[in-house]
Amino acid sequence: MKKSSFLTLTIASVMLFNSVTAHAAKTETPANTQASKDAALNSILELNVGMFTLYEQALGDFQTRFLSNHPLILGLFSGTGGKMMLYRPGKEVEHAPSVPVIYQILKSTGHSTMAISQIVLQYLNKKDSMGWKAPLETYLTDTNKALASLSQVEMNESWRPVVRNILKANSDYLTLCLSKNQLSPEDLQDFARKTGPDLKLIIGWAAQTQVQHWMGVLDKWKADLGNDWDKTYGASNTIYVARQNNILFSVLAQYFGPQAINDRLMLIETTSFTTTPQDMLTAVSRIASDRITGDVFFGNKSLMDYELMGGDARKAIIAEMQKRGREAFLPPLVPFGSKQWPALVTPGPGAKTLDDLK
């Protein structure tokens, strides 16, 4: 074939290919176009999904290294007054002894009165409903059983009359409601006035028992750790209702000191009262690992303890409110790595303790 003929054929082939491609592009259906766009979008979004896989792999390795260099104390909420565990490099986990059982007795007594009130309050305005009767009959039987057994339970003898008064008041109130076959706001108020002062007493004794126990545990652990205490981490879990004046965190803070708060001592919010030790280990490891990332990328190890976009979102909120002719309502800015308590700290008017309530 002559060179000119080959060149002519090649040019014709390219023109034909371009024509077919252009025609295909013109005839591509909207469905195909959308599928292509979706695929492009997913290719980017998948990076975030893949990030979690990489994150989990790296986090497991980091946790192993972290625990091989730092002792860690976990303080976990429980119905028995809490649990504490000490993780020490190269040693088995040490589980602290439980809070004395009198704590559970006092708590159970106080909760019994609260449980009664919950049922009554749910049915107080339901005049045609007797759904309260069966559960209160059962609880009366349980209350009388506990009252009859009280003399056999070991406790501080000065506390026993108060526990008995509460249980007896519970029994009398339940008997009254069942004998009347009705619930009334007046009877509930009388019940509350009668039990309130005694409930405040047993709440105080329970707190005293819990705090004394955990301080004894931490006295020993701090002495055992010696110089390693200064590189020890601590963490406690909480849900919203227990965040303010969290007992385990507050006790830990007495030993870690102000400079450790939000640094080596953390209060980790959760979605339930109880949290597994492994979940807490993961949370602490994640925080410590993110601090290294924050330092590498932004020069501040505490930055990633907070919502990373929070500062820019704050500026955006202020700008958007200005567009609307209104002033933004936001808390004051605090520095990354603030050592203030992770709870409400601004004083103001109003009752602050049970003793303030009349």
Side-chain angles (χ1 to χ4, degrees):
M1 181 181 294
K2 293 181 179 180
K3 188 174 181 180
S4 60
S5 299
F6 177 80
L7 181 60
T8 301
L9 179 61
T10 301
I11 293 173
S13 298
V14 170
M15 292 176 65
L16 178 61
F17 175 78
N18 289 340
S19 175
V20 171
T21 303
H23 178 72
K26 289 180 180 178
T27 58
E28 186 175 5
T29 65
N32 289 339
T33 302
Q34 187 59 48
S36 177
K37 289 181 178 179
D38 289 344
L41 175 61
N42 288 335
S43 68
I44 297 176
L45 298 184
E46 279 296 320
L47 294 175
N48 195 54
V49 176
M51 178 273 291
F52 286 104
T53 301
L54 296 179
Y55 212 121
E56 292 304 317
Q57 289 177 340
L59 191 61
D61 294 336
F62 179 85
Q63 181 174 302
T64 300
R65 294 196 306 274
F66 178 77
L67 292 177
S68 68
N69 288 285
H70 296 278
L72 171 65
I73 296 173
L74 295 183
L76 306 183
F77 179 92
S78 77
T80 61
K83 297 186 293 185
M84 281 199 188
M85 286 150 278
L86 171 61
Y87 295 78
R88 299 179 68 177
K91 295 190 177 183
E92 292 292 322
V93 180
E94 182 176 347
H95 295 264
S98 299
V99 176
V101 72
I102 184 58
Y103 168 87
Q104 295 181 60
I105 294 170
L106 295 170
K107 191 170 183 179
S108 182
T109 301
H111 280 177
S112 67
T113 303
M114 298 299 101
I116 292 169
S117 69
Q118 286 299 310
I119 289 291
V120 172
L121 288 168
Q122 291 302 314
Y123 285 94
L124 200 56
N125 295 320
K126 297 179 181 179
K127 301 299 184 183
D128 298 328
S129 176
M130 297 297 290
W132 58 271
K133 192 170 183 180
L136 291 193
E137 285 176 337
T138 300
Y139 213 60
L140 175 59
T141 300
D142 295 340
T143 300
N144 288 336
K145 182 179 178 181
L147 192 55
S149 304
L150 182 59
S151 61
Q152 302 175 48
V153 177
E154 293 184 7
M155 69 174 65
N156 184 320
E157 286 304 320
S158 66
W159 296 357
R160 193 184 304 277
V162 176
V163 174
R164 180 179 290 107
N165 288 345
I166 293 172
L167 295 178
K168 182 65 166 56
N170 290 353
S171 178
D172 290 346
Y173 175 65
L174 291 171
T175 301
L176 177 65
C177 292
L178 292 167
S179 65
K180 287 185 172 182
N181 208 35
Q182 67 176 20
L183 304 174
S184 75
E186 294 76 18
D187 289 340
L188 179 60
Q189 284 296 327
D190 288 342
F191 175 51
R193 279 192 291 269
K194 185 173 184 179
T195 54
D198 286 337
L199 289 173
K200 289 171 67 174
L201 286 174
I202 65 169
I203 289 169
W205 296 336
Q208 174 187 327
T209 301
Q210 189 179 20
V211 168
Q212 286 179 347
H213 174 78
W214 290 125
M215 284 195 163
V217 168
L218 290 172
D219 284 339
K220 178 182 181 301
W221 282 355
K222 188 170 184 179
D224 290 346
L225 287 169
N227 292 334
D228 283 344
W229 183 262
D230 292 334
K231 63 177 183 179
T232 298
Y233 280 70
S236 179
N237 70 306
T238 186
I239 64 170
Y240 177 77
V241 70
R243 194 173 198 269
Q244 188 68 13
N245 299 328
N246 184 281
I247 296 171
L248 296 181
F249 182 85
S250 297
V251 170
L252 286 166
Q254 308 315 304
Y255 291 81
F256 278 86
Q259 291 306 308
I261 290 180
N262 302 326
D263 182 9
R264 291 186 297 113
L265 178 60
M266 311 165 200
L267 184 62
I268 298 174
E269 291 198 34
T270 57
T271 57
S272 62
F273 278 110
T274 56
T275 305
T276 67
Q278 185 54 55
D279 285 342
M280 289 290 288
L281 283 172
T282 298
V284 172
S285 300
R286 188 180 299 277
I287 292 169
S289 175
D290 279 349
R291 287 173 176 174
I292 297 174
T293 303
D295 195 27
V296 169
F297 282 88
F298 304 104
N300 189 297
K301 74 168 190 173
S302 299
L303 170 69
M304 293 184 68
D305 282 13
Y306 305 88
E307 168 57 61
L308 194 57
M309 291 190 296
D312 289 316
R314 179 189 181 96
K315 290 187 288 186
I317 289 170
I318 293 171
E320 289 298 321
M321 289 298 285
Q322 286 176 342
K323 290 178 186 177
R324 291 158 174 77
R326 296 163 59 193
E327 185 175 351
F329 175 63
L330 293 164
L333 285 169
V334 296
F336 301 126
S338 169
K339 305 301 181 187
Q340 74 173 6
W341 283 78
L344 302 175
V345 294
T346 304
K352 302 173 184 66
T353 69
L354 277 176
D355 291 336
D356 295 337
L357 300 173
K358 306 301 180 184

